[in-house]
């Protein structure tokens, strides 16, 4: 029996985790099993000391706190699975302390910067139409990069101005398209995609490369880097998604609605976008707090 292989199948088919998560967990478990084999140990020999020894080894190899946290998560899930299969009696990872990872605020573009980047795209060619549509859709709908490249034609509903997005964990959500996004996707499908389409490839994906196959993430990153550099702006594709969330909240959208549009499982993930300037906070407090006008010495009221 190969416990690593069966564990990966468990993650993929029973828990239905995202492909990237399965890949990451699988890689870490294979590395850990190799470590045990080199020391002549079995899985049921593992205790916290063995796990700590492995983590020290990985740190010496140069992994950061974020990677250590992923390793611990992978090992915890692995030993829970082994307990369920009666391969081990305890989970030696339960008392391990996760490294504290500071939450950094995502980079955000202004509306003017987004427009400037999009204006750099020459829409006279099929590839130009594709790029204008692609980056407009990511910004207007807050898509992850993987969600954009995996979007298929049957998931685009032009009449309702909606797209059905398959996100992390294979979870589906419905996202409305604004007028601008709907305009560009309609124009791209009829004027651009039709010229990129290769009958021999028979791709159903919305965004195609110049061979008529599915556009890759690497291709998308490279293209956005070129376009943003022409605009004189330093940004990554994912910055468009961050900007989408921030602009919605600044415009008055509630946090739960933004959470649903982004496809976040936990609202705490969405809360990183609620970064408001300190001066803005003071202005909002002064303007809206019900007791503010009653404070002695305050003018007005």
């Amino acid at each position: 029996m190969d416990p690593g292989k069966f564990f990966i199948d468990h993650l993929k088919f029973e828990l239905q985790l995202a492909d990237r998560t399965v890949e990451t967990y699988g890689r870490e478990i294979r590395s850990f099993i190799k470590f045990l084999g080199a020391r002549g140990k079995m899985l049921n020999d593992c205790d916290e000391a063995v796990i700590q020894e492995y983590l020290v080894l990985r740190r010496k190899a140069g992994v950061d706190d974020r990677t250590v946290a992923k390793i611990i998560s992978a090992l915890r899930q692995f030993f829970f699975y082994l307990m369920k299969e009666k391969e081990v009696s305890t989970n030696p990872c339960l008392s391990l302390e996760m490294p504290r990872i500071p939450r950094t605020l995502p980079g955000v573009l202004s509306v003017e910067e987004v427009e400037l980047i999009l204006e750099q795209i020459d829409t006279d060619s099929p590839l130009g139409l594709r790029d204008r549509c692609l980056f407009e859709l990511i910004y207007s709908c807050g898509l992850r990069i993987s969600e954009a490249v995996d979007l298929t034609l049957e998931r685009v509903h032009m009449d309702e101005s909606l797209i059905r997005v398959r996100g992390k964990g294979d979870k589906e959500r419905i996202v409305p398209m604004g007028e601008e996004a709907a305009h560009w996707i309609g124009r791209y499908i009829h004027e651009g995609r039709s010229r990129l389409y290769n009958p021999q490839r028979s791709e159903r994906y919305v965004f195609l490369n110049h061979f008529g196959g599915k556009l890759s993430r690497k291709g998308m990153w490279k293209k956005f880097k070129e376009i943003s550099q022409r605009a004189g702006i330093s940004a990554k594709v994912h910055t468009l998604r961050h900007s989408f969330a921030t602009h919605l909240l600044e415009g008055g959208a509630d946090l739960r609605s933004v959470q649903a549009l982004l496809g976040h499982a936990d609202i705490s993930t969405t809360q990183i976008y609620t970064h408001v300037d300190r001066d803005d906070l003071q202005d909002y407090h002064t303007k809206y707090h019900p007791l503010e006008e009653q404070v002695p010495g305050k003018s007005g009221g």
Side-chain angles (χ1 to χ4, degrees):
M1 173 185 173
D2 181 350
K5 180 183 182 304
F6 284 106
F7 174 62
I8 293 170
D9 288 343
H10 167 71
L11 296 177
K12 187 182 296 184
F13 301 114
E14 292 187 40
L15 299 186
Q16 295 186 330
L17 298 185
D19 290 343
R20 291 181 69 184
T21 303
V22 173
E23 181 184 341
T24 300
Y25 278 25
R27 183 174 62 248
E28 295 302 340
I29 295 309
R30 285 191 294 271
S31 173
F32 178 68
I33 291 174
K34 185 177 179 180
F35 159 82
L36 291 180
R39 282 154 180 74
K41 292 182 179 293
M42 305 292 288
L43 286 166
N44 53 16
D45 295 329
C46 289
D47 55 17
E48 186 179 338
V50 172
I51 306 294
Q52 291 285 13
E53 182 187 352
Y54 176 68
L55 293 176
V56 168
L57 188 70
R58 293 300 305 276
R59 281 193 180 278
K60 286 182 178 177
V63 302
D64 58 14
D65 283 346
R66 194 173 297 276
T67 303
V68 169
K70 288 180 181 178
I71 294 169
I72 293 173
S73 293
L75 290 175
R76 278 181 181 169
Q77 287 293 329
F78 183 48
F79 278 98
F80 275 132
Y81 168 75
L82 293 175
M83 287 177 67
K84 178 184 171 186
E85 297 296 315
K86 306 290 194 259
E87 295 292 326
V88 299
S89 56
T90 59
N91 189 332
C93 305
L94 290 180
S95 56
L96 292 177
E97 193 170 326
M98 282 283 196
R100 289 186 174 275
I101 302 170
R103 261 208 170 140
T104 56
L105 294 177
V108 175
L109 298 168
S110 67
V111 175
E112 292 74 22
E113 286 173 324
V114 173
E115 290 176 345
L116 183 58
I117 289 172
L118 296 177
E119 285 169 2
Q120 306 306 309
I121 303 171
D122 181 1
T123 57
D124 289 337
S125 69
L127 291 176
L129 275 174
R130 178 202 67 189
D131 295 338
R132 184 65 174 80
C133 173
L134 171 64
F135 299 127
E136 177 67 50
L137 201 66
I138 290 175
Y139 171 64
S140 295
C141 300
L143 302 185
R144 298 180 177 96
I145 296 170
S146 58
E147 293 169 348
V149 297
D150 289 341
L151 186 66
T152 54
L153 289 173
E154 58 268 20
R155 294 183 170 274
V156 177
H157 302 277
M158 294 300 298
D159 291 342
E160 296 87 359
S161 289
L162 299 171
I163 57 173
R164 288 185 294 122
V165 179
R166 195 171 294 282
K168 285 186 176 181
D170 214 28
K171 293 179 180 176
E172 186 175 277
R173 69 183 188 278
I174 296 175
V175 183
M177 291 187 287
E179 288 184 14
E180 193 77 4
H183 164 77
W184 284 108
I185 198 166
R187 187 175 164 191
Y188 161 65
I189 287 174
H190 292 105
E191 299 176 31
R193 189 183 182 282
S194 58
R195 291 159 66 188
L196 293 172
Y197 180 71
N198 182 346
Q200 294 179 334
R201 301 293 293 270
S202 299
E203 296 284 11
R204 294 294 297 164
Y205 295 103
V206 171
F207 297 107
L208 305 178
N209 60 29
H210 60 286
F211 296 114
K214 179 184 178 184
L215 180 66
S216 68
R217 295 185 194 193
K218 187 176 180 181
M220 186 194 299
W221 291 331
K222 184 179 178 182
K223 183 56 67 174
F224 187 78
K225 184 177 180 181
E226 291 172 5
I227 296 166
S228 57
Q229 284 178 342
R230 285 206 299 269
I233 296 170
S234 177
K236 297 179 180 179
V237 184
H238 206 63
T239 311
L240 293 175
R241 174 172 157 90
H242 299 324
S243 304
F244 161 83
T246 302
H247 295 166
L248 278 181
L249 289 166
E250 287 177 348
D254 66 273
L255 202 58
R256 288 287 181 190
S257 297
V258 177
Q259 177 192 7
L261 290 169
L262 290 172
H264 286 159
D266 191 333
I267 199 167
S268 65
T269 309
T270 317
Q271 286 173 330
I272 64 172
Y273 296 104
T274 57
H275 47 83
V276 182
D277 185 89
R278 274 186 170 275
D279 293 335
D280 289 341
L281 278 174
Q282 183 60 56
D283 290 343
Y284 294 155
H285 184 274
T286 302
K287 186 175 180 180
Y288 296 116
H289 195 282
L291 298 181
E292 187 65 22
E293 293 184 353
Q294 300 177 25
V295 177
K298 291 274 185 181
S299 60

